Structure formats: C-alpha cells, structure tokens
C-alpha cells in the first residue's frame, strides 16, 4: 500500500502583517479612500476569497496591489458581508440575505467585530507599520483599527491560506 504524503497546513500560510479595520463604508469605497490616504493602488482581485462552512460556501471581496518598490503585496479583504457561492450551473451570484451586520458569517470568526483586513504580504517592517498607524488614525471613516496578533487568532488561517 502506497503512503500518502501529508503537508502541514502551515506550509500554505503566508507571512503577513494584518490590520483589522472597523468601518461602515462599502468595500469599494474604503478601498478608494485607503488608496488615497496610503498612496496605494489597490484594485479588485480577479477572484474573491472563498470560505466554506456548515452554512455554505461564502465569497469575500478582496482588493490587491503588488508594490515592486517596497517588495510587498497589499490586500484589503472583507471580513463580513459575504455572498453565497451559487452552484456551478448558476452564472449569477446573489447577496446573502443573512449578511447584515449581526448575522453575516465572518471569514475570521474569532475577529467578527472587524469589518476589513488591510494586510501586506512580505517582510514585516516597523516603519511601514508606523506609517499605516499614523495614517489610519487620521481617517474619519475608520471607526477603529488594530494590528492583529496572528498567533492569538484561532481562525486567521482562513485569511492567510494560499489557494
């Protein structure tokens, strides 16, 4: 009998620095505002982030920007307001009727109070973190934000796993 090769899930987890943002703005509007405030060029990713749970398969909008100057990849990912993935034969996606502020299925369930994740993939940088902190504090449409401790979150792998 042939042995199965099993890869550790951590093999697929990215090295990232993550900021959780609480804001009432829709994803596209927050993306525009963050582009202006942080001099980024975030654009809608070709595919939404997918997550499966007992309640179904959900899609979370994601925006990305590869910054060759700083050698990092920036991402803005929605934690709530997911859409239900329709079966293969259905060409349209519909909004989840349960996607209100209180009943949406969060991508990272132990951080359900966070609406969005602004994160960068690459070498951690204290100067970049300070720049993000300084600029997010100035934004009136950002209610609050915090740097996420990856080690203390049980479900952060839903965000960090590469597919």
């Amino acid at each position: 009998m042939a042995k199965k090769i099993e890869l550790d899930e951590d093999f697929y987890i990215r090295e990232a620095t993550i900021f959780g943002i609480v804001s009432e703005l829709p994803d596209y509007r927050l993306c525009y505002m963050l582009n202006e405030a942080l001099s980024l060029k975030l654009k809608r990713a070709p595919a939404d982030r997918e997550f499966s749970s007992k309640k179904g398969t959900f899609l979370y909008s994601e925006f990305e920007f590869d910054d060759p100057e700083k050698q990092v990849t920036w991402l803005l990912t929605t934690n709530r307001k997911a859409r239900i993935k329709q079966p293969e034969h259905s060409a349209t996606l519909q909004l989840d009727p349960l996607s209100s502020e209180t009943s949406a299925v969060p991508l990272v369930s132990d951080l359900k109070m966070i609406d969005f994740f602004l994160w960068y993939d690459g070498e951690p940088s204290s100067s970049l973190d300070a720049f993000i902190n300084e600029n997010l504090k100035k934004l009136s449409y950002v209610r609050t934000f915090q740097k996420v401790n990856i080690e203390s979150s049980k479900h952060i792998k839903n965000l960090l796993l590469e597919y």
Side-chain angles (χ1 to χ4, degrees), residues 101-113:
E101 287 291 321
T102 57
S103 63
V105 175
L107 178 62
V108 182
S109 58
D110 58 324
L111 298 173
K112 62 185 172 191
M113 73 297 270

Side-chain angles (χ1 to χ4, degrees), residues 3-149:
K3 288 187 176 182
K4 267 189 178 178
I5 296 176
E6 291 184 27
L7 294 176
D8 186 6
E9 250 185 23
D10 292 342
F11 178 76
Y12 296 100
I13 292 182
R14 301 168 164 176
E15 182 180 339
T17 302
I18 304 169
F19 289 85
I21 297 175
V22 176
S23 177
E24 291 88 19
L25 292 179
D27 56 1
Y28 65 90
R29 185 87 171 133
L30 181 64
C31 177
Y32 173 81
M33 298 297 210
L34 290 175
N35 279 343
E36 293 292 311
L38 301 172
S39 301
L40 299 175
K41 296 178 185 171
L42 290 162
K43 292 185 180 175
R44 187 71 187 236
D48 290 334
R49 184 162 294 274
E50 196 172 303
F51 172 67
S52 296
S53 75
K54 294 175 187 174
K55 296 181 181 181
T57 301
F58 297 89
L59 300 173
Y60 298 84
S61 61
E62 190 161 68
F63 300 82
E64 62 186 5
F65 167 55
D66 285 322
D67 188 349
E69 185 179 306
K70 293 181 179 152
Q71 297 181 346
V72 296
T73 299
W74 290 89
L75 295 130
L76 176 66
T77 308
T78 305
N79 192 36
R80 293 197 240 177
K81 299 177 184 161
R83 294 175 292 165
I84 295 177
K85 184 177 182 182
Q86 299 299 311
E88 293 293 323
H89 56 79
S90 176
T92 60
L93 292 173
Q94 297 176 358
L95 289 177
D96 178 3
L98 301 174
S99 66
S100 69
E101 287 291 321
T102 57
S103 63
V105 175
L107 178 62
V108 182
S109 58
D110 58 324
L111 298 173
K112 62 185 172 191
M113 73 297 270
I114 293 175
D115 297 314
F116 301 94
F117 295 106
L118 174 65
W119 50 300
Y120 63 90
D121 214 1
E123 197 66 33
S125 165
S126 57
S127 61
L128 191 52
D129 291 354
F131 172 76
I132 293 168
N133 270 320
E134 181 182 317
N135 284 290
L136 287 180
K137 283 179 186 176
K138 297 176 186 175
L139 305 177
S140 62
Y141 47 83
V142 171
R143 271 205 201 149
T144 188
F145 69 93
Q146 69 180 29
K147 188 172 178 181
V148 175
N149 183 345

